[in-house]
Amino acid sequence: MTAEVGILNANGLVLAADSALTMGNSEQMKIFNSGNKIFSLGPSHSIGIMMFGNVQFMGIPWEIIVTGFHQKIGARPLDSVWDYCTEFFNYLENVDEIYSSIFTEVLIIGYAENVSNILENTTYVPSPGAFTLADYQKAVEEKIPALLKESEKMKSITKKAPIKVFSDRYGEKLDEVFKELFDTVFLGLNLYDKFKPDLYKIVRNYVYSDSYYPDTYSGLVIAGFGYTELFPSIYQYDIAGVVDKVIKKRLTVRQIVMNDFAEDRCSSAIVPFAQQDMVHTVINGIAPDLEADLGELLRATLEKLISELTEKKLLKESDAPEINKLKATLVESGLNAFENMKQERHLTPVLMTIDSMPKEELALIAETLVNITSFKGKISFSMETVGGPIDVLLITKSDGPVWVKRKNYFNPDINRLR
């Protein structure tokens, strides 16, 4: 995990990121505090590229890909940030090394492991009395056709490979993932062959889906100014690999500073990436998980009130349908009122301040938000996956990309030519 933020207004844009790189999984984890996550395309281009999540794409480090893109476009600036996004993916599609059969297999196995985790964590209703393994086994069996039905409805990024072709290519590796699960859940009852065809189809459908992304995807941010643009913009993509020579990607953030309020446009914005909870807490005045609990607390409180009034004969049981409708209305009304209060007291004042903030202050705010996320990790029992030096890249129309803070892996005193 990592913490990154982009802040933009009419004066410029700033990108800030920590340096923590997490390797491994929850059982075996190693954290390095020396990762580079922000890259400049040099003085000829007012563009910064930032990455989070998986530091590689089909086995190639993103830093190498960005360097190759920089060399490809040369010193000629492009007209818009959108043009940079388009050219970046055009370049990526022509990097032969991304079409690796080995890393395609790794990608498929990752999807299978995701499906396996979903099945392993299946929720169920235990029989009256005590837990029985049969309840859990039944729930897992019922989950498989449900997942298949759901996956069949997903839109595909390209024409799916026939299931026989997919099975012949990857069946052996998929078996290694799913047999371990079935031996654990079903204790050697040899049920795997029964469900194997459905499991193959689920994985195939997820791989080709335009909406299902594995936990190992990369986040890529492209931000700054095009040559003809007066104001900055920021685009963020989720990228999950290559499927049949098609890059699986989706645009998830699009913020454009303009002097109007059209859809997808703004006069200023704070955009967090990766680990976002503390940034949202600062700008919204409440932690996201606490806000989510608020609705449940409101529903539970009304349920308790209705129950006690019914018990004391102050409400008739025959009125239950009307009372439930009223409860739903009250919950919705209360949450809407809270949302309006949050906007009025916290988010709007913050963005109004950001609107006219000088570029130097933007850099300080971005660095501080990343620092706060790191600090939160130090005073909680969770793993400190945010840390190390914070890199800050400021981009303005007049000065282009300027490093406000940047760590070096070399000693500048003995590398004067750099």
Side-chain angles (χ1 to χ4, degrees):
M1 191 60 80
T2 186
E4 299 178 353
V5 67
I7 303 180
L8 60 167
N9 67 11
N11 293 319
L13 175 145
V14 62
L15 300 174
D18 74 320
S19 299
L21 291 178
T22 305
M23 314 291 286
N25 52 42
S26 57
E27 296 178 358
Q28 293 182 316
M29 185 179 291
K30 180 73 175 176
I31 298 175
F32 299 96
N33 286 323
S34 55
N36 292 316
K37 302 175 184 179
I38 305 177
F39 310 101
S40 166
L41 293 186
S44 300
H45 305 275
S46 298
I47 292 291
I49 297 180
M50 184 165 67
M51 52 74 56
F52 60 89
N54 195 336
V55 298
Q56 296 183 341
F57 180 70
M58 302 301 285
I60 307 172
W62 278 112
E63 183 170 2
I64 292 176
I65 292 172
V66 172
T67 301
F69 172 62
H70 187 190
Q71 293 171 343
K72 169 71 167 54
I73 61 174
R76 179 181 61 86
L78 305 182
D79 286 345
S80 68
V81 179
W82 181 252
D83 289 337
Y84 280 97
C85 296
T86 303
E87 287 300 316
F88 181 86
F89 287 108
N90 286 342
Y91 164 76
L92 191 57
E93 287 173 357
N94 288 286
V95 176
D96 292 338
E97 287 80 2
I98 69 171
Y99 304 108
S100 161
S101 59
I102 293 175
F103 282 96
T104 297
E105 189 174 278
V106 170
L107 181 70
I108 304 297
I109 292 171
Y111 277 92
E113 289 172 344
N114 269 33
V115 174
S116 179
N117 289 336
I118 291 171
L119 293 174
E120 186 176 1
N121 294 308
T122 299
T123 56
Y124 63 96
V125 179
S127 301
F131 160 79
T132 64
L133 181 59
D135 294 323
Y136 176 49
Q137 291 172 336
K138 181 182 177 184
V140 173
E141 288 189 52
E142 292 174 348
K143 186 77 171 180
I144 293 171
L147 287 179
L148 177 59
K149 185 177 180 180
E150 177 189 80
S151 70
E152 294 286 3
K153 296 177 181 177
M154 294 177 175
K155 184 179 177 182
S156 297
I157 60 171
T158 187
K159 185 178 179 181
K160 297 178 187 175
I163 192 61
K164 185 179 186 309
V165 174
F166 188 82
S167 302
D168 290 344
R169 283 180 189 168
Y170 308 112
E172 197 174 308
K173 293 297 182 181
L174 298 181
D175 291 344
E176 292 177 10
V177 174
F178 289 121
K179 277 184 177 178
E180 182 180 351
L181 170 72
F182 271 68
D183 287 345
T184 302
V185 173
F186 296 102
L187 305 178
L189 294 178
N190 298 320
L191 287 174
Y192 178 59
D193 286 342
K194 173 184 174 183
F195 292 105
K196 179 163 65 172
D198 285 351
L199 291 169
Y200 284 0
K201 289 178 183 176
I202 293 169
V203 175
R204 190 272 311 263
N205 293 341
Y206 280 177
V207 167
Y208 282 86
S209 164
D210 70 343
S211 57
Y212 187 90
Y213 278 61
D215 298 332
T216 54
Y217 75 89
S218 295
L220 193 75
V221 179
I222 300 178
F225 296 80
Y227 184 72
T228 64
E229 293 176 318
L230 288 178
F231 302 116
S233 56
I234 188 166
Y235 296 83
Q236 188 252 306
Y237 293 85
D238 294 338
I239 308 175
V242 175
V243 181
D244 286 353
K245 297 192 177 295
V246 176
I247 295 174
K248 184 170 177 176
K249 67 181 187 299
R250 61 185 175 190
L251 178 64
T252 53
V253 172
R254 178 177 183 262
Q255 291 283 9
I256 303 172
V257 171
M258 292 290 287
N259 58 348
D260 59 30
F261 295 97
E263 186 179 358
D264 288 331
R265 295 177 178 182
C266 59
S267 54
S268 67
I270 299 175
V271 190
F273 303 101
Q275 196 165 315
Q276 305 180 10
D277 53 341
M278 286 308 297
V279 177
H280 285 299
T281 300
V282 171
I283 65 178
N284 291 319
I286 184 171
D289 57 344
L290 192 58
E291 184 176 2
D293 291 340
L294 188 63
E296 294 305 315
L297 179 62
L298 185 54
R299 291 183 187 91
T301 302
L302 289 175
E303 284 280 1
K304 184 173 176 58
L305 174 63
I306 293 168
S307 176
E308 291 188 3
L309 289 175
T310 304
E311 188 178 322
K312 293 177 180 179
K313 309 297 184 184
L314 297 174
L315 289 176
K316 298 177 184 177
E317 290 188 13
S318 59
D319 293 333
E322 281 299 317
I323 291 171
N324 285 331
K325 287 168 73 174
L326 179 61
K327 181 190 74 176
T329 302
L330 288 172
V331 169
E332 183 179 0
S333 175
L335 292 178
N336 287 339
F338 181 79
E339 180 67 25
N340 292 335
M341 186 184 301
K342 184 181 73 173
Q343 291 272 348
E344 182 180 340
R345 294 189 182 181
H346 291 276
L347 183 57
T348 300
V350 168
L351 293 181
M352 287 178 65
T353 304
I354 296 294
D355 277 350
S356 54
M357 188 171 282
K359 56 191 177 185
E360 296 85 359
E361 297 296 329
L362 291 179
L364 177 61
I365 296 297
E367 181 186 2
T368 301
L369 288 174
V370 176
N371 254 325
I372 289 174
T373 306
S374 176
F375 175 71
K376 177 63 164 53
K378 292 184 182 298
I379 59 171
S380 67
F381 286 108
S382 59
M383 182 72 70
E384 291 184 38
T385 55
V386 177
I390 297 173
D391 291 331
V392 182
L393 179 66
L394 176 64
I395 305 173
T396 61
K397 186 67 176 175
S398 57
D399 298 326
V402 175
W403 288 102
V404 178
K405 283 199 171 181
R406 188 188 189 190
K407 62 183 173 298
N408 286 319
Y409 64 90
F410 58 86
N411 185 339
D413 291 334
I414 58 175
N415 290 270
R416 292 294 184 184
L417 295 179
R418 289 186 177 272

